[in-house]
Amino acid sequence: MENNRWSGPHAARWIVVSSRSLHSPQAKAKQRKKEKKHELAVASGTRRKAIAYCFSDTRHYFLSPSLDDAPTVFTCSPRDKSEPNRDSSPFVSILFLELGLESSPVAMGWSKQCNNLLLLLIVFFLACFSGSSTYTASASWDGVVISEADLQGLQAVKRAFSDPRGVLRSWNGTGLGACSGAWIGVKCVQGKVVALQLPWRGLAGQLSEKVGQLSALRKLSLHDNAIDGQVPPALGFLRELRGLYLFNNRFSGGVPPSLAACRLLQALDLSNNLLTGAIPSLANSSNLIRLNLSFNSLSGSIPTSLARLPSLSFLHLHQNNLSGPIPDTWGSSVANDSYQLQSLNLAQNSLSGSIPTSLSRLPMLKELDFSNNQLNGSLPASLCNLPSLVELNLQGNQLESPIPEAIDGLRNLSFLSIKRNHFYGEIPATIGNISGLSWLDLSDNNLTGAIPSSIEKLTNLTFFNVSNNHLSGPVPLLLSDKFNSSSFAGNIQLCDYANSVPCLSPPPSYPPPPSSPSKHRRRLSSTAIILLAVGVLLALSLLLFCILLFCLTRRKTATSSKQSTTATGEEAAGSGEKSRPSAGAEAESGGDVGGKLVHFDGPLVFAADDLLCATAEIMGKSTYGTVYKATLEDGSQVAVKRLREKIAKSQKEFETEVNVIGRIRHPNLLPLRAYYLGPKGEKLLVFDFMSKGSLASFLHGEFLFTATLSVVVLIDLLVHA
């Protein structure tokens, strides 16, 4: 009966199993004539009701007519008649009959028992048929169809978001194409969502709790949006979660303790949000590699469990309201147990107590930043046994002790700052044995004695400051010539540097005064006068010859330079006609974010997603943009400049000029390694990060460690010339 057919939503996946299903000869005849139609016949009875359910690979239909005593035929067919036939996905129809006898109590009891039995049969057949139906649906989508639970979870996530740009427009209500690449930001494996990546999409609203239904999710990346509300505790249900990137949003509330149940979690980045409360214990996260909770308002103490994670290599908790002592359970006392921690940043908190001596059991530690806290006590001598340490920043605390003589045990140290503390005693001469030291700030302490001359041997030193101490004696000559007076100010007894009092020295011995010339001068002879005249003439001739030779050399050099400049200009003009990347450049798509990433000189060492997910620190700003120090997931560092949109040139001109710049190689110029063109017109330039100094430090003696000025100057000169 075509009049009794009713089509339900595609999202339904229930299978209604029949206790009685009859195929009439008429139905079989029609099935041969009509493509993909299945007819069901129901025998007559006293009083009956039938429920039939038809489903195919992409369509679902539900029939519930009232039956007369006469046999009734039901037809299941596609709602859309224009849909192409798929012989590989036949329709399946199952009939469920509910029989009831009139006015007989015994019959009514039998009918109730029959209903219960049929309900059990429904549950049994649901378990048996659900797998096959999923497989049938997957066949039409390159082998993958989203599961019902994941579909509901994604739809709930979409409803909770505010999408002013319409990024999620492709997330249709039927779930078609969810796992075939049609849904932006969604990746699946065998019908289960394994990655949800929507960074830089302008999304707002909240993250739905239904995200916990994505049971196979491995990576959730929603960074650099405007999402607010709490971080869903349901994330703890994601047992397969490896990476959670929610930084640069507006999340509030606390860090969910349920995240400790994600035993496979490797990266957790919730930095730059509005999170409050305490840091939960992550003792079960034995695979955790990166943990970044910086730039929030977290309070309480640091869990000791974080110091016992052997796989943790990156721990940043700076710019919070943490208090209490730093855990003293770092590393392991067993020689064979190697802890992987490389970067530990706890700056800008209210931590108190002493510096843990157990930090000496972290042989791979490269960065240690405890600056601007309330730490007291001494600088442990055992801390000098870290051979890999490159940066040690203890400024802005209340440490009070001499500087250890064994400080030269930090043989790879490049940055040392202990300013604004209470260190006393003399500066150890062994500090001059750290050959790679480029930044040394000992200012605002109580140091006494002279400046060791061994510091002159630090040829890589670009910043040196011992101001506001109690030092005395002369400043070593090389240091006074290399650094200005601000590096030594506030030491009354220091001398022999710019704008300072000269050091006291014994009075010089003056030679006896010459005897007065005789009033009677003897007149020169004629021969002497002739010889003198000849000598003057020869000297003038020689001087004139040198002047002529110099002029000829200058003219020849200028001519050669002009010809070289002309040839270079013609070559550059010829190469500038091509706007595509050079032969040595390798381009790739921008991954999930979109855009184009072009590498120069060699294979692709990082992808666009790696660059955009990197931890960034502002190094400097100029009229044309901002330079960042970006730390990739593998620990490598690059300098990235983001050009201002209103000042930067058009995309065609930009690519033409950047491709020319990418081929320039000179020992005094910083080479361009890659550039990135974003989907919204972003222009990023990637250079090598120069960790040992900048051009400004050599010109002016004022080096900013976090700003590689040479990168800024080079980019401005080359790109905007």
Side-chain angles (χ1 to χ4, degrees):
M1 292 175 62
E2 289 287 324
N3 296 334
N4 293 329
R5 185 173 66 233
W6 176 82
S7 299
H10 166 72
R13 290 284 180 179
W14 298 106
I15 301 173
V16 181
V17 184
S18 69
S19 60
R20 189 171 184 180
S21 177
L22 301 177
H23 296 268
S24 65
Q26 295 84 358
K28 293 181 180 179
K30 281 189 176 183
Q31 187 175 11
R32 287 190 295 269
K33 294 179 181 180
K34 295 182 180 180
E35 295 182 3
K36 289 192 174 180
K37 289 187 177 182
H38 189 78
E39 300 177 353
L40 302 175
V42 181
S44 60
T46 305
R47 184 172 61 86
R48 63 185 66 84
K49 181 173 65 176
I51 301 174
Y53 181 81
C54 308
F55 67 93
S56 70
D57 52 348
T58 57
R59 303 289 190 208
H60 299 265
Y61 311 96
F62 185 83
L63 311 180
S64 179
S66 298
L67 302 180
D68 300 324
D69 292 339
T72 306
V73 177
F74 299 87
T75 303
C76 298
S77 61
R79 176 170 47 189
D80 187 1
K81 298 296 183 179
S82 63
E83 183 181 32
N85 297 326
R86 296 188 178 97
D87 296 333
S88 60
S89 304
F91 281 84
V92 179
S93 300
I94 302 174
L95 178 65
F96 167 58
L97 297 179
E98 181 183 359
L99 303 177
L101 301 178
E102 293 181 354
S103 68
S104 173
V106 177
M108 293 178 63
W110 178 87
S111 176
K112 184 176 181 180
Q113 293 178 0
C114 183
N115 289 340
N116 294 335
L117 178 60
L118 292 179
L119 288 177
L120 293 176
L121 290 174
I122 289 174
V123 174
F124 173 75
F125 280 101
L126 279 175
C128 295
F129 282 44
S130 58
S132 61
S133 63
T134 303
Y135 176 80
T136 304
S138 302
S140 61
W141 298 111
D142 64 0
V144 178
V145 167
I146 192 169
S147 65
E148 179 66 19
D150 286 25
L151 176 61
Q152 293 178 358
L154 290 178
Q155 289 176 339
V157 169
K158 178 183 178 181
R159 288 192 298 268
F161 279 156
S162 174
D163 184 17
R165 300 181 187 175
V167 176
L168 305 181
R169 191 181 299 110
S170 60
W171 290 24
N172 55 61
T174 63
L176 298 178
C179 285
S180 63
W183 285 28
I184 186 171
V186 178
K187 292 183 179 180
C188 304
V189 173
Q190 295 183 353
K192 305 294 289 184
V193 178
V194 297
L196 180 58
Q197 303 179 85
L198 296 169
W200 301 94
R201 303 296 184 180
L203 298 174
Q206 298 181 354
L207 181 58
S208 173
E209 284 279 352
K210 292 295 184 66
V211 72
Q213 293 185 206
L214 308 177
S215 58
L217 191 65
R218 298 181 182 180
K219 182 177 182 180
L220 177 60
S221 178
L222 301 174
H223 63 83
D224 291 283
N225 285 289
I227 306 172
D228 54 18
Q230 293 187 348
V231 179
L235 292 174
F237 297 139
L238 306 178
R239 297 296 190 264
E240 300 294 328
L241 190 63
R242 267 81 162 176
L244 180 59
Y245 305 95
L246 303 180
F247 57 90
N248 293 341
N249 278 285
R250 300 173 184 173
F251 285 103
S252 58
V255 179
S258 58
L259 290 176
C262 302
R263 296 177 178 270
L264 300 179
L265 190 63
Q266 297 179 1
L268 175 59
D269 195 337
L270 305 179
S271 60
N272 199 15
N273 280 284
L274 306 174
L275 300 176
T276 57
I279 301 176
S281 174
L282 298 174
N284 295 330
S285 302
S286 57
N287 295 307
L288 192 62
I289 298 176
R290 296 174 59 88
L291 177 59
N292 191 351
L293 302 178
S294 58
F295 294 97
N296 282 287
S297 298
L298 299 173
S299 57
S301 59
I302 301 175
T304 57
S305 59
L306 295 181
R308 297 172 179 170
L309 297 176
S311 62
L312 190 64
S313 65
F314 184 93
L315 177 58
H316 280 198
L317 304 178
H318 54 284
Q319 294 283 352
N320 280 287
N321 299 321
L322 300 175
S323 58
I326 300 174
D328 196 8
T329 56
W330 304 94
S332 174
S333 57
V334 181
N336 295 330
D337 291 347
S338 177
Y339 277 65
Q340 306 296 319
L341 190 61
Q342 298 182 20
S343 179
L344 178 58
N345 193 335
L346 306 179
Q348 299 288 341
N349 282 287
S350 299
L351 300 173
S352 58
S354 59
I355 298 177
T357 58
S358 60
L359 291 171
S360 61
R361 300 199 294 260
L362 300 174
M364 303 182 66
L365 190 62
K366 295 181 179 180
E367 178 187 359
L368 183 60
D369 193 343
F370 290 165
S371 60
N372 299 312
N373 280 283
Q374 301 174 12
L375 301 177
N376 51 38
S378 62
L379 177 60
S382 60
L383 207 63
C384 301
N385 297 327
L386 296 174
S388 302
L389 194 64
V390 176
E391 177 181 343
L392 177 58
N393 191 350
L394 301 176
Q395 68 180 32
N397 283 285
Q398 302 172 14
L399 299 173
E400 186 174 2
S401 71
I403 301 176
E405 288 286 340
I407 191 71
D408 58 342
L410 304 174
R411 54 181 178 272
N412 289 318
L413 196 65
S414 175
F415 178 93
L416 174 61
S417 177
I418 59 172
K419 67 182 293 186
R420 296 201 310 273
N421 278 283
H422 304 294
F423 286 97
Y424 59 87
E426 297 184 354
I427 301 175
T430 53
I431 205 169
N433 299 330
I434 310 175
S435 59
L437 196 61
S438 61
W439 181 290
L440 179 58
D441 194 345
L442 309 178
S443 60
D444 298 292
N445 282 284
N446 299 319
L447 299 173
T448 57
I451 299 176
S453 59
S454 61
I455 298 181
E456 289 182 313
K457 299 186 300 182
L458 301 176
T459 57
N460 295 321
L461 196 62
T462 56
F463 182 89
F464 178 70
N465 194 346
V466 292
S467 61
N468 300 319
N469 280 283
H470 304 293
L471 300 174
S472 58
V475 176
L477 180 61
L478 293 180
L479 295 180
S480 62
D481 292 341
K482 190 173 184 179
F483 303 101
N484 56 32
S485 59
S486 63
S487 298
F488 312 100
N491 295 279
I492 300 177
Q493 300 181 14
L494 271 184
C495 54
D496 276 0
Y497 65 93
N499 302 326
S500 70
V501 178
C503 294
L504 297 178
S505 58
S509 58
Y510 297 100
S515 59
S516 58
S518 175
K519 295 181 180 180
H520 303 282
R521 297 179 179 175
R522 189 173 60 179
R523 298 179 63 181
L524 296 176
S525 62
S526 302
T527 305
I529 294 175
I530 294 174
L531 293 175
L532 182 61
V534 172
V536 171
L537 182 61
L538 291 175
L540 291 176
S541 302
L542 181 61
L543 179 62
L544 181 61
F545 176 78
C546 292
I547 293 174
L548 292 175
L549 182 62
F550 176 77
C551 292
L552 292 175
T553 306
R554 283 286 303 274
R555 181 176 297 179
K556 184 176 181 181
T557 304
T559 303
S560 301
S561 176
K562 183 176 181 181
Q563 293 176 356
S564 176
T565 304
T566 303
T568 305
E570 293 176 356
E571 181 181 355
S575 62
E577 295 176 359
K578 299 181 180 181
S579 61
R580 62 180 181 271
S582 62
E586 295 186 18
E588 67 164 346
S589 63
D592 299 322
V593 181
K596 180 173 69 173
L597 177 67
V598 179
H599 285 264
F600 297 98
D601 289 341
L604 305 178
V605 295
F606 56 85
D609 291 341
D610 298 334
L611 181 62
L612 297 178
C613 289
T615 303
E617 299 176 13
I618 296 179
M619 298 166 55
K621 295 183 179 179
S622 67
T623 307
Y624 299 101
T626 304
V627 176
Y628 299 87
K629 170 186 173 184
T631 303
L632 304 178
E633 288 191 0
D634 60 355
S636 59
Q637 296 177 339
V638 293
V640 180
K641 175 154 187 175
R642 183 188 180 102
L643 302 179
R644 298 183 185 273
E645 297 180 0
K646 296 183 179 179
I647 297 179
K649 300 180 180 181
S650 65
Q651 180 173 344
K652 183 177 180 181
E653 294 177 338
F654 175 80
E655 288 188 272
T656 301
E657 296 184 8
V658 171
N659 287 326
V660 174
I661 296 173
R663 296 193 296 269
I664 297 176
R665 293 296 180 268
H666 192 274
N668 295 333
L669 292 179
L670 193 64
L672 177 63
R673 296 303 184 189
Y675 69 90
Y676 172 76
L677 295 175
K680 299 182 294 184
E682 308 97 320
K683 298 180 177 66
L684 305 180
L685 301 177
V686 182
F687 293 81
D688 291 334
F689 176 70
M690 308 301 292
S691 61
K692 293 188 177 181
S694 66
L695 178 62
S697 63
F698 292 98
L699 296 179
H700 308 291
E702 296 178 358
F703 174 75
L704 298 178
F705 182 74
T706 58
T708 306
L709 185 59
S710 58
V711 177
V712 182
V713 174
L714 176 63
I715 298 173
D716 291 343
L717 290 177
L718 294 180
V719 179
H720 305 287

